[in-house]
Amino acid sequence: MKIPRPALAMTALALTLALLTAAVVAAPPSGETEITFNGFVLDSPARSEQGTTLVPVEELCAAIGASGWVIGGREDLTPIQGGLSYWWAEDGSHTFSASWNGGPVASVTAGEGGARMEDGVLWAPLRPFARDLGFSVDWNGRVELSVPAATVRVTTLEELFNAVADQIAIVLDVEPGTTLDFSTLDWSLVENDHVALETDVDTRDMGYGESPHPEAFDVVIHDVQDLTISAPGGVTLSTPWAYADVLKFENCRRLTLEGLTAVHNVEPGFCVGDCLQLEACRDVRVTGCTLDGSGAYGLKALDCAGITLENSEISHCTYGAVSLTDCRAVRLRDGVIRDCQDVFTLVEGVGCQDVRVEDTAIRGCTAGALASFSQSLRVSFVGCAVENCGFGAVNGVDWTASGGAVFLDCTGLEASA
């Protein structure tokens, strides 16, 4: 049968429209795009335009984190090792350069390769810029940037602290159930600029005499990024001093702890030692860990952002399970808080934003309050199950309080108060 020419034309037009529609659907959608670096979401804007991801390059570098700028004279700028260095051309040419860990320099110039200035901000295609820095670039519903970490296997505390560095995955390669006791640490064998020893942490004498435990100390890991410490078979890190912190980190970025148990191996009592203390840290993930108290708090964080505690347990604390000060974007999920008896407040915070405790079992705890948050915004408990607990109040407040916590789809609250 012969098809009339108008019908042929309509058929061709329909086929063309169908192909165009398929092409549009297959292309990445325009709009905002999320970016991760080594598994952590970056706080940096990005957008997709006709299948190309554009980023403000300076803001992207700031979000990844810089450990230094550059050294050398004006004619010989040298990137600093151990992090991201970035700088603008001194001739005003709108050229931005960056280097990861002192490696190759990636440069972007406005007006070249799709880069352009918008209101004083240099936007550029992400993929070529990231690849020039040596990053791997993948797409899984969001842009995933990564740099492989070197793996170091250790068996002692001395080896652990000597291995601490940027872009390092430390594996505690010991028998399951092994305990590494800080009282056995030989500090003379540790030489690492990223690890410091804090002595005289036992303050019970208030400085009026010899400390009851002058040998007590904290080991502080500081100023590192992209560090992982894991124990596939499970390892216990123990301190015999009630007034010492078991794990302490300062000014760290993209820190991951997996399979660790941090414990004070002393009789329960009031003290200032925490299981895990974080200060000025950004992007911390704690997975499959146990923070076992007899210290003050299981988790204590000051001036931190992006903390996630998942599939983990906090237990036997004497002040409270969690204490947050000036922190934002904190998540506790799919874990357990148990057997924290006669504490002040189980979960507390001051000056915090975006704190969420979700799908967490709270068992066998007694406290003046389940939660107490002052001068804080967007604090919520979602899907939590409270069992065999006793609290003076569910949502405690004091005279400086503002905000507080919201409870959604939680069970057992009425029986606990």
Side-chain angles (χ1 to χ4, degrees):
M1 181 179 66
K2 187 175 182 180
I3 301 175
R5 287 185 179 274
L8 284 173
M10 290 299 293
T11 301
L13 178 60
L15 179 60
T16 301
L17 289 173
L19 291 173
L20 287 173
T21 301
V24 170
V25 172
S30 296
E32 294 184 356
T33 300
E34 191 172 71
I35 302 176
T36 66
F37 185 77
N38 287 344
F40 292 92
V41 177
L42 293 180
D43 186 15
S44 175
R47 64 183 186 230
S48 179
E49 293 183 1
Q50 298 179 343
T52 298
T53 300
L54 298 175
V55 295
V57 287
E58 186 173 23
E59 192 165 341
L60 173 73
C61 290
I64 292 173
S67 60
W69 298 92
V70 293
I71 57 177
R74 293 174 181 267
E75 302 299 326
D76 181 27
L77 295 175
T78 303
I80 289 178
Q81 299 284 333
L84 189 64
S85 306
Y86 54 91
W87 62 96
W88 286 93
E90 295 185 348
D91 61 3
S93 60
H94 291 168
T95 295
F96 178 85
S97 299
S99 171
W100 175 256
N101 202 26
V105 174
S107 296
V108 177
T109 302
E112 299 179 5
R116 62 180 184 267
M117 298 294 294
E118 294 182 8
D119 297 325
V121 177
L122 179 58
W123 288 77
L126 172 62
R127 186 175 293 273
F129 179 67
R131 284 184 169 172
D132 286 348
L133 286 171
F135 301 162
S136 295
V137 185
D138 294 302
W139 171 262
N140 187 20
R142 61 187 181 183
V143 180
E144 297 179 343
L145 306 179
S146 61
V147 180
T151 299
V152 178
R153 297 186 176 275
V154 302
T155 59
T156 66
L157 289 173
E158 292 84 0
E159 292 175 350
L160 166 64
F161 293 127
N162 279 323
V164 169
D166 293 330
Q167 292 175 252
I168 293 292
I170 301 174
V171 178
L172 286 159
D173 192 9
V174 297
E175 290 295 323
T178 295
T179 296
L180 301 179
D181 193 326
F182 278 81
S183 67
T184 68
L185 174 65
D186 187 348
W187 184 251
S188 68
L189 300 179
V190 179
E191 295 184 11
N192 192 331
D193 291 338
H194 291 294
V195 183
L197 193 72
E198 288 186 351
T199 58
D200 298 325
V201 298
D202 191 330
T203 58
R204 278 176 287 180
D205 67 339
M206 300 302 291
Y208 296 114
E210 185 177 357
S211 172
H213 297 284
E215 74 278 13
F217 59 82
D218 288 341
V219 177
V220 184
I221 295 175
H222 60 90
D223 298 295
V224 292
Q225 55 187 6
D226 301 290
L227 170 67
T228 296
I229 303 176
S230 66
V235 169
T236 296
L237 303 177
S238 174
T239 179
W241 304 299
Y243 278 60
D245 298 318
V246 185
L247 292 167
K248 190 171 184 177
F249 298 87
E250 294 180 359
N251 195 35
C252 294
R253 198 158 197 164
R254 292 185 296 277
L255 168 68
T256 300
L257 305 176
E258 298 178 349
L260 306 177
T261 294
V263 62
H264 289 85
N265 188 22
V266 295
E267 291 297 321
F270 291 100
C271 58
V272 296
D274 305 308
C275 292
L276 172 60
Q277 185 173 127
L278 305 171
E279 185 171 347
C281 292
R282 300 292 182 270
D283 296 326
V284 179
R285 182 181 296 120
V286 181
T287 302
C289 291
T290 297
L291 307 178
D292 190 79
S294 300
Y297 295 97
L299 168 64
K300 186 172 184 177
L302 303 88
D303 186 27
C304 293
I307 301 173
T308 298
L309 189 73
E310 57 189 0
N311 297 312
S312 295
E313 176 183 299
I314 300 176
S315 54
H316 303 112
C317 299
T318 51
Y319 275 29
V322 177
S323 179
L324 308 171
T325 302
D326 296 328
C327 293
R328 60 184 176 87
V330 179
R331 300 288 183 270
L332 276 68
R333 61 190 181 205
D334 300 320
V336 177
I337 300 174
R338 68 174 183 87
D339 300 325
C340 296
Q341 294 284 326
D342 299 324
V343 302
F344 297 113
T345 299
L346 198 63
V347 181
E348 67 177 21
V350 177
C352 297
Q353 293 186 28
D354 297 310
V355 178
R356 184 180 175 96
V357 182
E358 60 181 294
D359 299 326
T360 295
I362 302 173
R363 301 171 182 159
C365 297
T366 57
L370 168 55
S372 180
F373 280 83
S374 61
Q375 303 168 32
S376 301
L377 297 172
R378 296 183 294 277
V379 179
S380 61
F381 286 66
V382 181
C384 296
V386 181
E387 302 175 9
N388 300 320
C389 293
F391 303 114
V394 172
N395 204 0
V397 296
D398 59 29
W399 68 274
T400 63
S402 62
V406 174
F407 294 83
L408 303 171
D409 299 322
C410 295
T411 60
L413 292 177
E414 292 183 359
S416 68

